[in-house]
Structures are given as C-alpha cells and as structure tokens.
Amino acid sequence: MSKPSATAPPRKHTASPTASEASVSASESSDAVTGAFEVGCAVEFIAKHLNVPSSPLTESQSAQFQAALTTLLLETISTSAWIPHAPHLGNARRSIMVTPKRLDKTLARAADASSVPSNLISTLLPSEMVLWVDPGSVCYRAGSDHAPIVAIWEDPAVQQQRLMQQQIIKQRWSQTQLSQSPPQMVGYMSPSGRSSGLSSASSSPQLSHQQFSLPQRTKVTMKMPASMGSAGNVMVN
C-alpha cells in the first residue's frame, strides 16, 4: 500500500509594508548607527553645493561622491570620541575644512573613491569653510574666523548648552577687557593749541584754550630784607 503523498503547506500571504512603515523602518535602522543622522545632514549640505544648476557633475557622480563621503564620515565617527553630553569633544577630527589652498582630506578621499575630480569639488564649495559634525549638532562657518557660525541642524538640548557657553565666554571677555583697560586721563590743550605730552585717550574730553581764560601777566614788587645787602627791590613779571 503506497503512502499518501505529502502536500506542501499553504503559503501565507503577507501584505507589503506601506510607505509610512518603510519610512519608520529606515529611520530606526538609521538611528541604530552612531551619528548617522548628523552625517546625513552634513552630506546633504555638501550636496546642495554640488547639485547647483551650473554644476559640471552628473547626477551619478554626485550620488557616488555622497555615498563615499557618508562612508568615510561614519568611519571617522566610529574611531573618534562621540559623547552626547560633551558634543565638542573630538570635533576637530570630525570637522571638514576647506581653504583656498587645500581641499579637506576627507573630501579628497571621497572624490578619489567615486572617481570624481577633486578640483571640481573645490570649485563648487565655498573657498573657505569649516563644517562641524558633532553629536546633536551640525553647523558650519563660511569665511574668516570672525564669520558667524550657522547651525544646519541642532538638538534643542545642545542648542541650550551652546548658548550658555557663549554667554560665559562673552562675560569672561568683558571682564578681561575691563581689567586690561588703562586709566583714563582727562586731557588738556596747551595755549598754543597743540596737545600736551599727557594727552588723553580718544574717549576722554578734550579742553581747548578757548574754553577758559588764561591769567594775565602781572607785575609783582618784592621788597628784599636789609640783611641781603643792597640788592634793592626785585621786579618779577
């Protein structure tokens, strides 16, 4: 008697995930990688400069460069200090610096990995720029050291901490300026109209000879005592 043939179990039909579910899943996987969100913000900022209408890069070149840059930044973060309660610790290593004479080594490596000429990257980015990628904060400064720092994305807690640090630095600077300020001297002008050797600082009030009347020269007669001989009277002008 032959055994009855085994039948395969019926297949279970599962509904494909919706777009919102896929977005949540991608977000969760992104959060699982340390610094992935901050790196994404930084790369997106760079991409805005690369994808301008006048850009000589193709869409494929731009996409390959962004992928290579993302990989390199994540590798840097994995081997550097990434401490949320001390976001600025180790930020020099994670920063991207562009100067008129040199392209940042991370950007140069990304260009080499994606077969994109590095000189094209230099022409599309600001000639002088620093981009910081820190826990809870991504910001940049374009121009000299005195240019303002602009936040691309910042966690509210990190923003509050940064504002407090700026306030402390400002107070210390004000105290230093007050302690180093020389004493102010009220200046005066000589009757000739020229400033004297003890002229005041520019903020001190200046007095000119027109503001007061000089005493007139007077004649004084001094009578010498007889014990001093026959010098007689002395006229003093």
Side-chain angles (χ1 to χ4, degrees):
M1 183 176 180
S2 62
K3 295 182 179 181
S5 59
T7 58
R11 295 182 179 180
K12 295 182 180 180
H13 298 279
T14 57
S16 58
T18 61
S20 59
E21 291 173 344
S23 176
V24 171
S25 177
S27 176
E28 291 175 351
S29 61
S30 176
D31 292 341
V33 181
T34 301
F37 184 82
E38 288 84 348
V39 168
C41 293
V43 174
E44 183 179 358
F45 172 78
I46 296 292
K48 289 182 178 180
H49 290 82
L50 303 181
N51 298 333
V52 293
S54 58
S55 174
L57 298 178
T58 64
E59 292 184 4
S60 176
Q61 287 178 317
S62 178
Q64 292 176 5
F65 177 82
Q66 294 176 51
L69 181 59
T70 300
T71 301
L72 291 174
L73 288 176
L74 289 176
E75 289 179 354
T76 303
I77 288 176
S78 65
T79 57
S80 66
W82 186 267
I83 305 175
H85 65 268
H88 299 297
L89 187 63
N91 66 348
R93 186 181 179 188
R94 297 186 300 267
S95 65
I96 295 177
M97 180 179 294
V98 178
T99 66
K101 297 181 179 180
R102 182 179 67 88
L103 183 67
D104 185 86
K105 61 180 182 181
T106 303
L107 297 177
R109 289 176 58 193
D112 183 65
S114 57
S115 301
V116 175
S118 59
N119 62 323
L120 295 183
I121 304 298
S122 299
T123 58
L124 293 171
L125 295 176
S127 60
E128 192 170 358
M129 180 192 72
V130 183
L131 175 64
W132 291 278
V133 185
D134 301 325
S137 175
V138 182
C139 54
Y140 75 97
R141 182 186 66 212
S144 65
D145 294 342
H146 303 288
I149 297 177
V150 182
I152 301 172
W153 174 80
E154 201 168 38
D155 184 87
V158 175
Q159 181 183 25
Q160 184 66 21
Q161 181 182 3
R162 177 178 58 82
L163 293 176
M164 291 177 61
Q165 290 177 346
Q166 289 179 351
Q167 186 66 21
I168 293 174
I169 294 174
K170 184 177 180 181
Q171 291 177 354
R172 290 179 179 175
W173 182 86
S174 300
Q175 294 173 357
T176 303
Q177 291 296 108
L178 291 175
S179 63
Q180 294 179 354
S181 297
Q184 298 294 326
M185 299 179 61
V186 177
Y188 63 91
M189 298 292 290
S190 64
S192 63
R194 295 182 179 181
S195 175
S196 67
L198 297 177
S199 60
S200 65
S202 59
S203 59
S204 302
Q206 297 290 336
L207 300 178
S208 63
H209 65 279
Q210 290 86 358
Q211 293 178 280
F212 57 91
S213 58
L214 296 175
Q216 299 294 328
R217 299 178 65 182
T218 57
K219 184 182 291 184
V220 180
T221 302
M222 299 179 63
K223 189 174 182 179
M224 305 300 294
S227 60
M228 297 186 65
S230 59
N233 295 337
V234 179
M235 303 296 295
V236 180
N237 290 332

Coordinates of all heavy atoms in Angstrom, one line a residue, residues 156-210:
P156 N 17.7 70.6 20.5 CA 17.4 71.7 21.4 C 18.2 71.7 22.7 O 18.6 72.8 23.2 CB 15.9 71.5 21.8 CG 15.3 70.8 20.6 CD 16.5 69.9 20.1
A157 N 18.5 70.6 23.2 CA 19.4 70.5 24.4 C 20.8 71.0 24.2 O 21.4 71.7 24.9 CB 19.4 69.1 25.0
V158 N 21.3 70.6 23.0 CA 22.7 71.0 22.6 C 22.7 72.5 22.3 O 23.6 73.2 22.7 CB 23.1 70.2 21.4 CG1 24.5 70.8 20.9 CG2 23.2 68.8 21.7
Q159 N 21.6 73.0 21.7 CA 21.5 74.5 21.5 C 21.5 75.3 22.8 O 22.2 76.3 22.9 CB 20.2 74.8 20.7 CG 20.1 76.2 20.3 CD 18.7 76.5 19.6 OE1 17.8 75.8 19.8 NE2 18.7 77.6 18.9
Q160 N 20.8 74.8 23.8 CA 20.8 75.5 25.1 C 22.2 75.5 25.7 O 22.6 76.5 26.2 CB 19.8 74.8 26.0 CG 19.6 75.5 27.3 CD 19.0 76.9 27.2 OE1 18.3 77.2 26.2 NE2 19.2 77.7 28.2
Q161 N 22.8 74.4 25.6 CA 24.2 74.3 26.2 C 25.1 75.2 25.4 O 26.0 75.9 26.0 CB 24.7 72.8 26.1 CG 26.1 72.6 26.7 CD 26.5 71.2 26.5 OE1 25.8 70.4 25.9 NE2 27.7 70.9 27.0
R162 N 25.0 75.3 24.1 CA 25.9 76.2 23.3 C 25.7 77.6 23.7 O 26.6 78.4 23.8 CB 25.7 75.9 21.8 CG 26.5 76.9 20.9 CD 26.2 76.6 19.5 NE 24.8 76.7 19.1 CZ 24.2 77.8 18.9 NH1 24.9 79.0 18.9 NH2 22.9 77.9 18.5
L163 N 24.4 78.0 23.8 CA 24.1 79.4 24.2 C 24.7 79.8 25.6 O 25.1 80.9 25.8 CB 22.6 79.6 24.1 CG 21.9 79.5 22.8 CD1 20.4 79.7 22.9 CD2 22.5 80.6 21.8
M164 N 24.6 78.8 26.5 CA 25.2 79.1 27.8 C 26.7 79.3 27.8 O 27.2 80.1 28.4 CB 24.8 78.0 28.8 CG 23.3 77.9 29.1 SD 22.9 76.5 30.2 CE 23.9 76.8 31.6
Q165 N 27.3 78.4 27.0 CA 28.8 78.5 26.8 C 29.2 79.9 26.2 O 30.1 80.5 26.6 CB 29.3 77.4 26.0 CG 29.2 76.0 26.7 CD 29.7 74.9 25.8 OE1 29.9 75.0 24.6 NE2 30.0 73.7 26.4
Q166 N 28.4 80.3 25.2 CA 28.7 81.6 24.5 C 28.5 82.7 25.5 O 29.3 83.7 25.5 CB 27.7 81.8 23.3 CG 28.1 80.9 22.2 CD 27.1 81.1 21.0 OE1 26.1 81.8 21.1 NE2 27.4 80.5 19.9
Q167 N 27.5 82.6 26.4 CA 27.3 83.7 27.4 C 28.4 83.7 28.4 O 28.9 84.8 28.7 CB 26.0 83.4 28.1 CG 25.6 84.6 29.1 CD 25.2 85.8 28.4 OE1 24.9 85.8 27.2 NE2 25.3 86.9 29.1
I168 N 28.9 82.6 28.8 CA 30.1 82.5 29.7 C 31.3 83.1 29.1 O 32.1 83.9 29.7 CB 30.3 81.1 30.1 CG1 29.2 80.6 31.0 CG2 31.6 81.0 30.9 CD1 29.3 79.1 31.4
I169 N 31.6 82.8 27.8 CA 32.7 83.3 27.1 C 32.6 84.8 26.9 O 33.6 85.6 27.1 CB 32.9 82.7 25.7 CG1 33.2 81.2 25.9 CG2 33.9 83.3 24.9 CD1 33.2 80.4 24.6
K170 N 31.4 85.3 26.6 CA 31.2 86.8 26.5 C 31.4 87.5 27.8 O 32.1 88.6 27.8 CB 29.8 87.0 26.0 CG 29.5 88.5 25.7 CD 28.1 88.6 25.2 CE 27.8 90.1 24.9 NZ 26.4 90.3 24.4
Q171 N 31.0 86.9 28.9 CA 31.2 87.6 30.2 C 32.7 87.6 30.6 O 33.2 88.6 31.1 CB 30.4 86.8 31.3 CG 28.9 87.0 31.2 CD 28.2 86.1 32.2 OE1 28.8 85.4 32.9 NE2 26.8 86.3 32.3
R172 N 33.4 86.5 30.3 CA 34.8 86.4 30.6 C 35.6 87.5 29.7 O 36.5 88.1 30.2 CB 35.4 85.0 30.3 CG 34.9 84.0 31.4 CD 35.4 82.6 31.0 NE 35.0 81.6 32.0 CZ 35.3 80.3 31.9 NH1 36.0 79.9 30.9 NH2 34.9 79.5 32.9
W173 N 35.2 87.6 28.5 CA 35.8 88.6 27.6 C 35.6 90.0 28.1 O 36.5 90.8 28.1 CB 35.3 88.4 26.2 CG 36.0 89.3 25.2 CD1 37.1 89.1 24.5 CD2 35.5 90.6 24.8 NE1 37.4 90.2 23.7 CE2 36.4 91.1 23.8 CE3 34.4 91.4 25.1 CZ2 36.3 92.3 23.2 CZ3 34.2 92.6 24.5 CH2 35.2 93.1 23.6
S174 N 34.4 90.3 28.5 CA 34.1 91.6 29.1 C 34.9 91.9 30.3 O 35.5 93.0 30.5 CB 32.6 91.7 29.4 OG 31.8 91.5 28.2
Q175 N 35.1 90.9 31.2 CA 35.9 91.1 32.4 C 37.3 91.3 32.1 O 38.0 92.1 32.7 CB 35.7 89.9 33.3 CG 34.3 89.8 33.9 CD 34.1 88.5 34.7 OE1 35.0 87.7 34.8 NE2 32.9 88.3 35.3
T176 N 37.8 90.6 31.1 CA 39.2 90.8 30.7 C 39.5 92.1 30.1 O 40.5 92.8 30.4 CB 39.6 89.7 29.6 OG1 39.3 88.4 30.2 CG2 41.1 89.8 29.2
Q177 N 38.5 92.6 29.3 CA 38.7 94.0 28.7 C 38.7 95.0 29.8 O 39.5 96.0 29.7 CB 37.5 94.2 27.7 CG 37.6 93.4 26.5 CD 38.8 93.7 25.6 OE1 39.8 92.9 25.6 NE2 38.9 94.8 25.0
L178 N 37.8 94.9 30.8 CA 37.8 95.9 31.9 C 39.1 95.9 32.7 O 39.6 96.9 33.1 CB 36.6 95.6 32.8 CG 35.2 95.9 32.2 CD1 34.1 95.4 33.1 CD2 35.1 97.4 31.8
S179 N 39.6 94.7 32.9 CA 40.8 94.6 33.8 C 42.1 95.1 33.0 O 43.0 95.5 33.6 CB 41.1 93.1 34.2 OG 41.3 92.3 33.1
Q180 N 42.0 95.0 31.7 CA 43.2 95.5 30.9 C 43.1 96.9 30.4 O 44.0 97.4 29.9 CB 43.4 94.6 29.7 CG 43.7 93.1 30.1 CD 43.9 92.2 28.8 OE1 43.6 92.7 27.7 NE2 44.3 91.0 29.0
S181 N 42.0 97.6 30.7 CA 41.8 99.0 30.2 C 42.7 99.9 31.0 O 42.7 99.8 32.2 CB 40.3 99.4 30.3 OG 39.5 98.6 29.5
P182 N 43.5 100.8 30.4 CA 44.3 101.7 31.1 C 43.5 102.8 31.8 O 42.4 103.1 31.3 CB 45.3 102.3 30.1 CG 44.4 102.1 28.8 CD 43.6 100.9 29.0
P183 N 44.0 103.4 32.8 CA 43.2 104.5 33.4 C 43.0 105.7 32.5 O 44.0 106.1 31.8 CB 44.1 104.9 34.7 CG 45.4 104.4 34.3 CD 45.2 103.2 33.5
Q184 N 41.9 106.2 32.5 CA 41.6 107.3 31.6 C 42.1 108.6 32.2 O 41.8 108.9 33.3 CB 40.1 107.4 31.3 CG 39.5 106.2 30.6 CD 40.1 106.0 29.2 OE1 40.3 107.0 28.5 NE2 40.3 104.8 28.8
M185 N 42.8 109.5 31.4 CA 43.2 110.8 31.9 C 42.5 111.9 31.1 O 42.4 111.8 29.9 CB 44.8 110.9 31.6 CG 45.6 109.8 32.4 SD 47.3 110.0 32.0 CE 47.6 111.6 32.7
V186 N 42.1 112.8 31.9 CA 41.4 114.0 31.3 C 42.5 114.8 30.6 O 43.4 115.4 31.2 CB 40.6 114.8 32.3 CG1 40.0 116.0 31.7 CG2 39.6 113.9 33.0
G187 N 42.4 114.9 29.3 CA 43.4 115.7 28.6 C 43.2 117.2 28.6 O 42.2 117.7 29.0
Y188 N 44.2 117.9 28.1 CA 44.1 119.3 28.0 C 44.9 119.8 26.8 O 45.7 119.0 26.3 CB 44.6 120.0 29.3 CG 46.1 119.7 29.5 CD1 47.0 120.6 29.0 CD2 46.5 118.6 30.2 CE1 48.4 120.4 29.3 CE2 47.9 118.4 30.5 CZ 48.8 119.3 30.0 OH 50.1 119.0 30.2
M189 N 44.6 120.9 26.4 CA 45.3 121.5 25.3 C 46.2 122.7 25.8 O 45.8 123.4 26.7 CB 44.4 122.0 24.2 CG 43.5 121.0 23.6 SD 44.4 119.8 22.6 CE 44.9 120.8 21.2
S190 N 47.4 122.8 25.3 CA 48.3 123.9 25.7 C 47.8 125.2 25.0 O 47.0 125.2 24.0 CB 49.7 123.6 25.3 OG 49.8 123.5 23.8
P191 N 48.1 126.4 25.5 CA 47.7 127.6 24.9 C 48.1 127.7 23.5 O 47.4 128.4 22.7 CB 48.4 128.7 25.8 CG 48.6 128.0 27.1 CD 48.9 126.6 26.8
S192 N 49.1 127.0 23.0 CA 49.5 127.1 21.6 C 48.6 126.3 20.7 O 48.6 126.4 19.5 CB 50.9 126.6 21.4 OG 51.0 125.2 21.8
G193 N 47.7 125.5 21.3 CA 46.7 124.8 20.5 C 47.2 123.3 20.3 O 46.4 122.5 19.8
R194 N 48.4 123.0 20.7 CA 48.9 121.7 20.5 C 48.7 120.8 21.7 O 48.7 121.3 22.8 CB 50.4 121.7 20.2 CG 50.8 122.4 18.9 CD 52.3 122.3 18.6 NE 52.6 122.9 17.3 CZ 53.8 123.0 16.8 NH1 54.8 122.4 17.5 NH2 54.0 123.5 15.7
S195 N 48.5 119.5 21.5 CA 48.2 118.6 22.6 C 49.4 118.5 23.4 O 50.5 118.3 22.9 CB 47.7 117.3 22.1 OG 47.5 116.4 23.1
S196 N 49.3 118.4 24.7 CA 50.4 118.2 25.6 C 50.9 116.8 25.6 O 50.2 115.9 25.0 CB 50.1 118.7 27.0 OG 49.1 117.8 27.5
G197 N 52.0 116.5 26.2 CA 52.5 115.2 26.3 C 51.6 114.2 27.0 O 51.7 113.0 26.8
L198 N 50.8 114.7 27.9 CA 49.9 113.9 28.7 C 48.5 113.9 28.0 O 47.5 114.1 28.7 CB 49.8 114.3 30.1 CG 51.1 114.2 30.9 CD1 51.0 114.8 32.3 CD2 51.6 112.8 31.0
S199 N 48.4 113.8 26.7 CA 47.1 113.9 26.1 C 46.3 112.7 26.5 O 46.8 111.6 26.7 CB 47.3 113.9 24.6 OG 48.0 112.8 24.1
S200 N 45.0 112.8 26.4 CA 44.1 111.8 26.9 C 43.8 110.8 25.8 O 44.2 111.0 24.6 CB 42.8 112.4 27.4 OG 42.2 113.0 26.3
A201 N 43.1 109.7 26.1 CA 42.6 108.8 25.1 C 41.6 109.4 24.3 O 41.0 110.5 24.6 CB 42.1 107.5 25.8
S202 N 41.2 108.8 23.2 CA 40.2 109.4 22.3 C 38.9 109.6 22.9 O 38.1 110.4 22.5 CB 40.1 108.5 21.0 OG 39.7 107.2 21.4
S203 N 38.6 108.7 23.9 CA 37.3 108.8 24.6 C 37.2 109.9 25.6 O 36.1 110.2 26.2 CB 36.9 107.5 25.2 OG 37.9 107.1 26.1
S204 N 38.4 110.5 26.0 CA 38.4 111.5 27.1 C 38.0 112.8 26.5 O 38.3 113.1 25.4 CB 39.8 111.5 27.7 OG 40.1 110.3 28.2
P205 N 37.4 113.7 27.3 CA 37.0 115.0 26.8 C 38.3 115.8 26.6 O 39.2 115.8 27.4 CB 36.1 115.6 27.9 CG 36.6 114.8 29.1 CD 36.9 113.5 28.7
Q206 N 38.3 116.6 25.5 CA 39.4 117.5 25.2 C 39.1 118.9 25.6 O 38.0 119.4 25.2 CB 39.8 117.4 23.8 CG 40.3 116.0 23.3 CD 41.7 115.7 23.9 OE1 42.4 116.6 24.2 NE2 42.0 114.4 24.0
L207 N 40.0 119.6 26.2 CA 39.8 121.0 26.6 C 40.6 121.9 25.7 O 41.8 121.6 25.6 CB 40.1 121.2 28.1 CG 39.3 120.4 29.1 CD1 39.8 120.8 30.5 CD2 37.8 120.7 29.0
S208 N 40.1 122.8 25.1 CA 40.8 123.8 24.3 C 41.1 125.1 25.0 O 40.4 125.4 26.0 CB 40.1 124.0 23.0 OG 38.9 124.7 23.2
H209 N 42.0 125.9 24.6 CA 42.3 127.1 25.3 C 41.2 128.1 25.1 O 41.2 129.1 25.9 CB 43.7 127.6 24.8 CG 43.7 128.1 23.4 ND1 43.8 127.2 22.3 CD2 43.5 129.3 22.8 CE1 43.7 127.9 21.2 NE2 43.6 129.2 21.5
Q210 N 40.3 127.9 24.2 CA 39.2 128.8 24.1 C 38.2 128.6 25.2 O 37.3 129.5 25.4 CB 38.5 128.7 22.7 CG 39.3 129.2 21.6 CD 40.2 128.1 21.0 OE1 40.3 127.0 21.6 NE2 41.0 128.4 20.0

